[in-house]
Amino acid sequence: MTFATPWALALVPPLLVFVWLIAARGTRTVSRRQHRIAVVVRMVAVALLVIAVAAPAVRRPSHDQSVVFLVDRSASIAGEAILAQDEFLDAALEDAAAQADARIGVVAFGADVRVDSSLSSEVPSGSITSVVDDSATDLAGALRATGALLPTEGSRRVVVLTDGVATSGGARVAAEELAELGIAVDVVQLGSSRGPDVLVEGVDLPPAVREGDRVTAEIRIRSNVVGMAEVLIEDSTGEEQRMTVDVVIGDNTVLVEVAAPAPGPLEVRATAELAGDTQVENNTNRGLTRVLGPARVAVVEGKAGDADELLRALAAGGLAVERVGAIPDDRALLDYDAVVLVNIPAPADADVERLTSYVEDLGRGLVVVGGDQAYAMGGYEQSLLEELLPVRSNPDDLVRRQPVAEVLLIDTSGSMGQCHCGGEEFVEGGVNKTDISRAGAAQAINALEPTDRVGVLAFSTGTDWVLPLNLKPDDATARAALGELFPQGDTQISTGLRAAYDELKGVDDALRHIVLFTDGWDPNESGLLPLVREIADDGITVSVLGTGEGPGTTLQRMAAVGGGRYYPGTDLSSIPDIFVEETLTVQRNLTVEGQFFPILAAPSQVTADLVTSPALLGYVVTQPKNTASTPLLIGEEDPLLATWQRGLGRVTAWTSDATSRWSAEWVSWDGYVEFWGALVRDVLPPYLETPPELRLDEGHLEIRYVSDEIAIDAAAIARVRAPDGEIRVVPLQRTSTSTFEGSTRADQAGAYWVGVSIDSAQGTVAGGSAGMIAGYGDEFAFREPDPTLAFDIAAITGGRVNPMVPEVFEKAPDVGTAPIELWPWLAGLALGLFLIDVGLRRLVFSTGDLTVWKAAVRPASRRPPEKVIDEATGLLVDAPAPEEVATVGRLLDRKRR
């Protein structure tokens, strides 16, 4: 016997003692003996209830029968094979109607598994309605999933209807797992349904070629018929070649030459067409090689013009650089050896995930250049990009702080007292935006430190310093000043900006910032951007809070030019919080400006020849991570140049900018080109000219790496990124003194990226990266059925190959036992005992009750006559029968007594 909750049994003794004590203290209106019997009955009932809570069960051998039909619906099953499946399944389900005690289920599978009919005693219909992904045949996964659907006891059998062309391995291992569970597997083999088919098995190219070479591409074609195939060869340069090939049954090879005119990836695509071809999905395949030339670098800039000087320097240093609008996608990233991010805010997670794989798995390089919207200024803190970088941008860890000089420039024109409501027509009684700005300014002032300076400048047609720029005032002074904000007049933003700028120009040794709050309805907006640029060039940042009703494009550009941030302000109720957020952001010591000379620190190839350098005028404060190297420091020993190894690649952080704002003296420095060329080359993959050889072969990606300079103790691994994003680490076996080889499955269509690293005691001694494109899934490859797979699965599990329809319902050996729950019986018995207990406590039983009860319920005709003495004769005679009421009355009188 087993118990689901055995802890409940521990409650039996204390509950019995409790019941006994309660019963012993109660008053007794019945005899002592009857009372004791009632107590015992009650204790037994309580014990039975507690045992029922423990859910006891006894197990018995199970003779239930379960049969699941596992139907292969991959792309290789078509035509006659599907008809054969349907005929077998219909006949089996018809025969199943006679199996009263059998439970039947139907499961379809391809690359995934779908339950078409759940296991039930009701016979399912013969037609399969589930739609599966037919791009692969995952027989191993289907066997495991079906085994999980079956019960754990009884006779269990799986009937597989397949052609035996499994695209994933492990079917025999899965069969062993089912055998351990006692599940028998029958296999019904279906004939191949492949019609006339010609396919391009692969396009093989050298792993790397030189610029200007003619490249020989080997196109491998397989066919199951004889015929004339038209072959089209295209490459990524736009060149096309057409030819007619006389194909034979089996393997065919076509050699063509293509040009390699420019550095970068070269893709060659081959398409074969044959009259009567029944499988067009596999007619095209692609090959990929790398044309060696200058290293290619993609540069992404956050604001237009930020990367101009850097692009010129890298190009002058012999690198092939290209300005791109955004972080490239997976396929485009393969074109570049390194990516440089210049002053960009934190990218989306999906972009960073691509960059991470690009660096770690392919061994490519990444450089991040600072600026007013990078690192902490760009929201890198706790982002995926910060995880990839050798520095962290956590303002909460920065203990140094400069004073703040901030002007809150508030529009008090007439339009700020009303609601535009999406247009230029005013509506009386709308949201008073001046009241909103008044509340926001009060909270922003309160968030400052006593050593900070703040001023509130109201502007409309003219300007009014309602709170002159000075040290932070007390609350009463601030409230009184803000109370003078009233909406009236026209909007002249330039007048207010000029007045704020003139006031801040005279402030030294402080972070200077202007926060502009306006609806943007300025008829003279054309001169705003030049004025903001002048302010920014003087080191004063400008942020803009717009209400979302005025010309938002101009306001947004003002914030971008001013090095601040733009808030659209579509939700006016959030404006006070935005005021505070902007104030807290500016008072953090995220950037430091002044004149700083770099300090040599850790040794590096980048700084090996660096003897002197100009001063930098600012940088973003960061902290180096534990394992990072910092060749250059700046300021109070903050990182200026930090680098580290990430997987197979390198990542470098430069915390100053690359523009004339902080690097004005560097841009005109004679060593600028050499320094930045060395910095970017330091992250380039070191083994560009020795990529691994890749080849697709029957659903596997074969990897081969050859090098003449491999140490005896070297070990090799390959990191493979599959088309679905899965990262696989593939150990490579040494097959000769200079060769490592390995393979992994390639059953998906798409690009596979492979990075190889050869490591020894001296570190990484060789490596390289390459890509391979699979034109179609392995299901569409020209694969022959595994001739022994069905027999092996049947032998392992005790099943059969190609059983007759009636045989699939023959019982497999019974396995396991089925539980019988006892708690319903125990609970019912306890309830009956409680009723007896109530009777024993409420009714008084004594000697003679049984006779009276019998007399009360026995019919008068069946009662023995009473004897009386006849007064006349003196003899015993039968007395007259008493009335029924008198007999019941005697019983009631007895009970009352």
Side-chain angles (χ1 to χ4, degrees), residues 598-608 610 628-634 639-644 650 652-653 675 682:
I599 304 170
L600 286 173
S604 168
Q605 294 293 328
V606 179
T607 59
L610 187 64
S629 173
T630 53
L632 289 176
L633 300 176
I634 193 171
L640 173 62
L641 177 65
T643 185
W644 69 352
R650 291 190 66 79
T652 291
F675 175 81
D682 186 58

Side-chain angles (χ1 to χ4, degrees), residues 748-833:
Q748 306 170 36
Y752 290 83
W753 290 9
V754 181
V756 173
S757 175
I758 312 295
D759 298 307
S760 70
Q762 290 73 39
T764 301
V765 296
S769 62
M772 174 61 74
I773 303 174
Y776 46 84
D778 192 40
E779 180 68 19
F780 302 104
F782 203 86
R783 297 170 62 91
E784 296 296 333
D786 187 334
T788 65
L789 181 60
F791 294 94
D792 291 345
I793 291 175
I796 291 170
T797 62
R800 296 154 303 192
V801 177
N802 294 327
M804 302 298 291
V805 170
E807 292 176 343
V808 300
F809 294 105
E810 291 181 2
K811 282 196 172 184
D814 292 333
V815 175
T817 55
I820 300 177
E821 303 287 347
L822 298 182
W823 70 265
W825 300 92
L826 295 175
L829 182 57
L831 179 60
L833 291 177

Side-chain angles (χ1 to χ4, degrees), residues 391-590:
V391 295
R392 62 173 57 90
S393 309
N394 187 353
D396 294 334
D397 293 338
L398 306 176
V399 296
R400 299 183 309 281
R401 180 183 178 277
Q402 285 179 275
V404 172
E406 182 175 59
V407 173
L408 304 178
L409 184 59
I410 300 177
D411 184 352
T412 56
S413 62
S415 62
M416 294 293 290
Q418 304 173 54
C419 176
H420 288 215
C421 300
E424 297 187 7
E425 295 183 1
F426 301 113
V427 176
E428 296 293 339
V431 177
N432 189 323
K433 288 167 282 189
T434 300
D435 290 342
I436 295 291
S437 64
R438 186 184 293 117
Q443 294 185 32
I445 294 172
N446 187 58
L448 291 169
E449 298 292 334
T451 56
D452 294 328
R453 279 171 282 188
V454 63
V456 178
L457 177 60
F459 72 92
S460 54
T461 306
T463 61
D464 180 17
W465 283 97
V466 297
L467 185 66
L469 182 65
N470 210 328
L471 292 176
K472 175 185 174 181
D474 55 54
D475 291 344
T477 302
R479 284 197 301 270
L482 295 174
E484 299 178 17
L485 297 175
F486 293 103
Q488 59 181 355
D490 297 327
T491 305
Q492 293 185 4
I493 298 177
S494 58
T495 301
L497 277 174
R498 175 62 66 179
Y501 174 40
D502 291 342
E503 191 71 15
L504 287 172
K505 278 196 298 185
V507 178
D508 297 324
D509 300 326
L511 295 173
R512 298 174 295 172
H513 192 54
I514 298 174
V515 180
L516 168 64
F517 179 47
T518 179
D519 58 9
W521 295 106
D522 187 341
N524 301 311
E525 61 174 298
S526 58
L528 292 176
L529 293 179
L531 175 57
V532 172
R533 186 172 291 109
E534 179 185 354
I535 294 173
D537 289 342
D538 201 14
I540 301 172
T541 54
V542 178
S543 292
V544 180
L545 280 69
T547 65
E549 297 154 358
T553 302
T554 300
L555 298 179
Q556 190 169 357
R557 292 178 63 191
M558 288 172 61
V561 172
R565 293 190 291 179
Y566 173 71
Y567 301 89
T570 52
D571 180 9
L572 293 184
S573 63
S574 67
I575 293 297
D577 293 334
I578 293 175
F579 261 110
V580 176
E581 179 183 348
E582 186 64 21
T583 299
L584 292 176
T585 298
V586 73
Q587 68 175 316
R588 293 171 181 159
N589 192 26
L590 304 182

Side-chain angles (χ1 to χ4, degrees), residues 217-228:
E218 179 181 315
I219 302 170
R220 292 179 285 120
I221 300 175
R222 295 188 70 182
S223 177
N224 61 0
V225 294
V226 175
M228 302 298 291

